[in-house]
Amino acid sequence: MIRRHTIDSILGGAHTADTVTVYGWVKTARTGKSVAFASLNDGSTTNNLQAVFDREIFPHEKLSGLLTGACIRITGEVVESQGREQSVEIAVKELEIVGPVDEEYPLQKKRHSMEFLRTMPHLRSRTNTFSSVFRVSHHLSTAICRFFDENGFFNVHTPFITESDCEGAGETFQLTTLPLDMLPVKNGKPDYDKDYFRRKAFLTVSGQLEAEPFALSLGKVYTFGPTFRADPSDTRIHGAEFWMLEPEMAFFDLEDDMNLVEKFVKYTAACLMEKCSDDIAFFSKFFEKSLPERYKSLLENDFGRITYTEAIKIIQSAERKFDSIPEWGDDLATEHERFLAEEYFSKPVFVIDYPASMKPFYMYVNDDGKTVGACDLLAPGVGELVGGSQREHRLPLLEKRAIEQGLDMETYRWYMELRRWGTAPHAGFGLGFERLLMYLTGMDNIRDVMPFPRTFGKMY
C-alpha cells in the first residue's frame, strides 16, 4: 500500500527534502511552456499545496486530466517554494488521475455565492469556505465531549422518538406508519390503535425531559444529538433538523447553571483557537473581520447578566428604531436580542427571570409568582445561543403549571413521579450546536454550517 502524506504535515515542515506521495483535489491548474502548476487540497488544512510539473517530464497528453475538481495522486520531492504564498511545494515526478472530471463540473470559479453553493451540498465541502466550516465543526464537537468528560458528566443517549413536546409549542414532526391515503378512522378520528406505537409519536424537539431522570441518579449528565422542530420560520437562524447539547445537573440552581454555560462557551472557544487558527484566520479574512476581537472579548470578559424586566426597560429607552417595541410579557425578538448583545453590552449577556406565562411548564417558579428561574444567553451575531433554567422540583407547582398549559397529565405521569420519589433541586440548559458554530466562525446563515440543511420548504 502506498504511504500517503497529508498536506498539513507537508506545509508544517515535517517533510522538507523528502519524497512524498499526496492525494488531493485540484483547486486550480495552469500550464506554461516550461512548467505547469496545480494547487491541491486534501481537506487536512485550509491551505493549499502547490505542485510543479516539469513540461519535459509531463507533456500535454500527460496533463490533459489535470483539471479543476479532479482527484489526483502525485509523488515528488518537497522543495523550497519560489513563490511568496507558500514556503514549500512539490516538484512532481509521478502523476495519476484518480478521479477525472468533465467540463460540467460546477465549481470552476474561485468564488461562488453562498446561495449557489446551497444548491449542491454534496459538493460544497470541496470549497475553502465549507471545508473550513466542517473542520471547525469537528473540533467543536470534540471539545464539547472533552469538556463534559473533564467536568464529571456522563453522556446519555436520549430517544429521538417521543410522546411529549418538551417546549409545548406544538412544533413537532409526527411519526406514523398509518397509510395516509387510506387513514383508518375510529369515532371520526385517526385510529392510532393501528399505528406502530398504538399512540401518537413525534420526533423529539429536546432530550431534556428524558435526561432529567439520569441527572437525578448519576448527578451530572448530558445528551448531544439531533433534534427536530417543525417551526415554519424561514430565517437565517432556523432549521428543521439541528443538533442540541443538553446537560442536566442535580443540586444546581440558576446561578450554577449560568456559571457552567459561561465556562463551557469559553472552553470551546479556547479549544478552537488552539486547533483551528488557520480556519479562524480564513473566516476573519473573508466573512467576519472582527472575529479575532470576538474571541479576545469572549475569553477576557465576564458575560453580562440582566433581568428580563431590565432588558425591556433598556429596549424601550434605546435611541434607535426597532420594528416593534416589546411590553413586559412579550417575547424578545431577534432584533432586540442582537441589540442587547451587539450594541448595549458588546459581548454575550444572560437575560434571566422571564415571565412564567411565556416559558415551559418545567421551569422553577420564583418567589414573586410571576417569573421563572430561566436564562437565555444572547450572543453577538446570532441572538439566542443558550436557553436554560432551574427545573421545578416541587410537585404541586409543577402540576399546576402543566395543567395551566393544557398538557395531558397521563403523558407526563412519569415526569411527575420524579418529583414524588427522591426529587432534588436541579438545572440544565440547551445549546444549539449550529448556532454556536455560527458564533465561533462568523458565518451568517445556519444553512451554511449544516452539511445537508433541512429548512422550511426546502430539503437540499
Side-chain angles (χ1 to χ4, degrees):
M1 177 133 181
I2 298 174
R3 181 187 176 190
R4 181 176 72 90
H5 300 81
T6 59
I7 289 176
D8 65 329
S9 68
I10 294 170
L11 294 178
H15 301 289
T16 303
D18 290 347
T19 297
V20 297
T21 296
V22 178
Y23 286 83
W25 290 270
V26 178
K27 310 294 283 187
T28 60
R30 66 186 192 278
T31 302
K33 290 185 177 180
S34 58
V35 292
F37 300 93
S39 179
L40 300 183
N41 195 285
D42 64 357
S44 62
T45 172
T46 190
N47 300 307
N48 299 326
L49 175 66
Q50 179 166 277
V52 181
F53 301 83
D54 187 331
R55 293 302 306 279
E56 291 187 1
I57 302 174
F58 296 95
H60 174 75
E61 59 272 15
K62 288 190 176 182
L63 295 178
S64 60
L66 194 66
L67 302 173
T68 297
C71 178
I72 67 172
R73 176 185 65 82
I74 59 172
T75 298
E77 184 181 356
V78 180
V79 298
E80 184 178 347
S81 178
Q82 301 302 308
R84 291 180 298 176
E85 296 185 1
Q86 60 277 319
S87 58
V88 296
E89 60 191 22
I90 304 291
V92 181
K93 303 302 180 185
E94 299 177 13
L95 167 66
E96 177 188 358
I97 307 297
V98 177
V101 296
D102 57 35
E103 64 278 3
E104 294 183 2
Y105 180 67
L107 302 180
Q108 298 285 353
K109 296 191 303 182
K110 286 188 177 180
R111 296 295 299 274
H112 295 276
S113 72
M114 304 303 280
E115 291 79 7
F116 173 76
L117 292 173
R118 287 176 203 144
T119 67
M120 49 188 68
H122 59 300
L123 293 177
R124 65 178 182 167
S125 59
R126 297 190 190 182
T127 66
N128 294 337
T129 296
F130 288 97
S131 61
S132 286
V133 165
F134 295 118
R135 272 190 299 272
V136 174
S137 177
H138 159 77
H139 287 292
L140 181 57
S141 296
T142 301
I144 286 171
C145 297
R146 187 186 307 129
F147 172 84
F148 286 104
D149 185 58
E150 292 175 0
N151 284 274
F153 282 72
F154 299 100
N155 180 237
V156 175
H157 296 171
T158 53
F160 297 160
I161 301 173
T162 180
E163 287 185 84
S164 62
D165 175 5
C166 177
E167 301 301 316
E171 298 166 345
T172 53
F173 287 101
Q174 187 172 348
L175 291 176
T176 183
T177 57
L178 296 177
L180 298 183
D181 54 346
M182 295 184 64
L183 194 65
V185 175
K186 183 178 182 181
N187 298 325
K189 297 181 180 180
D191 185 2
Y192 289 107
D193 287 338
K194 294 182 169 58
D195 208 351
Y196 187 88
F197 294 105
R198 295 191 174 91
R199 66 191 71 188
K200 285 186 178 181
F202 308 92
L203 288 177
T204 185
V205 298
S206 170
Q208 173 205 319
L209 299 187
E210 289 84 0
E212 285 189 47
F214 291 90
L216 295 173
S217 56
L218 300 178
K220 294 190 294 186
V221 301
Y222 74 101
T223 181
F224 182 34
T227 52
F228 311 86
R229 188 163 295 171
D231 185 342
S233 301
D234 188 21
T235 75
R236 64 179 191 85
I237 60 172
H238 285 94
E241 176 185 342
F242 49 95
W243 278 58
M244 285 287 287
L245 167 69
E246 297 178 288
E248 291 291 325
M249 298 78 63
F251 318 117
F252 270 48
D253 60 17
L254 185 63
E255 184 74 15
D256 299 324
D257 203 21
M258 291 188 291
N259 290 340
L260 181 69
V261 171
E262 183 166 346
K263 180 180 178 181
F264 164 77
V265 174
K266 290 185 174 184
Y267 178 95
T268 56
C271 286
L272 293 191
M273 287 189 68
E274 177 186 353
K275 294 285 188 179
C276 307
S277 57
D278 286 344
D279 295 301
I280 292 171
F282 173 85
F283 292 124
S284 176
K285 181 177 180 180
F286 292 105
F287 291 95
E288 180 55 71
K289 297 190 185 307
S290 64
L291 197 58
E293 289 74 26
R294 178 178 293 181
Y295 275 83
K296 186 174 186 295
S297 176
L298 174 62
L299 293 172
E300 293 180 358
N301 297 306
D302 293 335
F303 292 0
R305 300 193 181 192
I306 190 172
T307 66
Y308 166 87
T309 301
E310 291 168 334
I312 293 293
K313 292 178 180 178
I314 290 171
I315 294 167
Q316 289 176 341
S317 61
E319 295 182 358
R320 59 155 293 178
K321 186 177 181 180
F322 294 105
D323 292 337
S324 63
I325 302 296
E327 299 292 335
W328 199 94
D330 294 337
D331 207 352
L332 299 182
T334 299
E335 61 172 341
H336 307 136
E337 295 173 341
R338 293 191 64 173
F339 164 74
L340 291 170
E342 295 171 18
E343 299 180 38
Y344 193 86
F345 284 92
S346 299
K347 63 181 181 180
V349 54
F350 288 105
V351 179
I352 67 171
D353 296 342
Y354 281 82
S357 60
M358 59 190 294
K359 289 297 183 180
F361 75 102
Y362 55 75
M363 292 188 175
Y364 184 89
V365 178
N366 291 327
D367 292 342
D368 61 13
K370 299 188 303 181
T371 63
V372 290
C375 66
D376 285 350
L377 178 63
L378 312 180
V382 297
E384 183 185 339
L385 183 63
V386 175
S389 73
Q390 183 172 340
R391 313 314 191 189
E392 183 57 80
H393 65 282
R394 298 163 295 184
L395 181 59
L397 286 175
L398 184 67
E399 289 179 332
K400 180 176 181 291
R401 293 266 290 145
I403 292 170
E404 288 174 348
Q405 296 190 11
L407 300 184
D408 177 10
M409 298 301 287
E410 180 58 27
T411 298
Y412 293 90
R413 177 183 53 79
W414 65 269
Y415 188 73
M416 303 298 171
E417 287 178 350
L418 293 173
R419 276 65 178 173
R420 291 177 55 201
W421 300 325
T423 191
H426 58 292
F429 65 86
L431 177 147
F433 175 79
E434 288 84 1
R435 288 196 186 181
L436 180 60
L437 189 54
M438 289 172 65
Y439 178 55
L440 295 174
T441 59
M443 298 299 287
D444 187 58
N445 196 305
I446 199 168
R447 295 164 176 83
D448 300 326
V449 294
M450 293 175 164
F452 290 86
R454 273 76 173 104
T455 58
F456 182 64
K458 300 180 181 70
M459 185 181 292
Y460 294 93

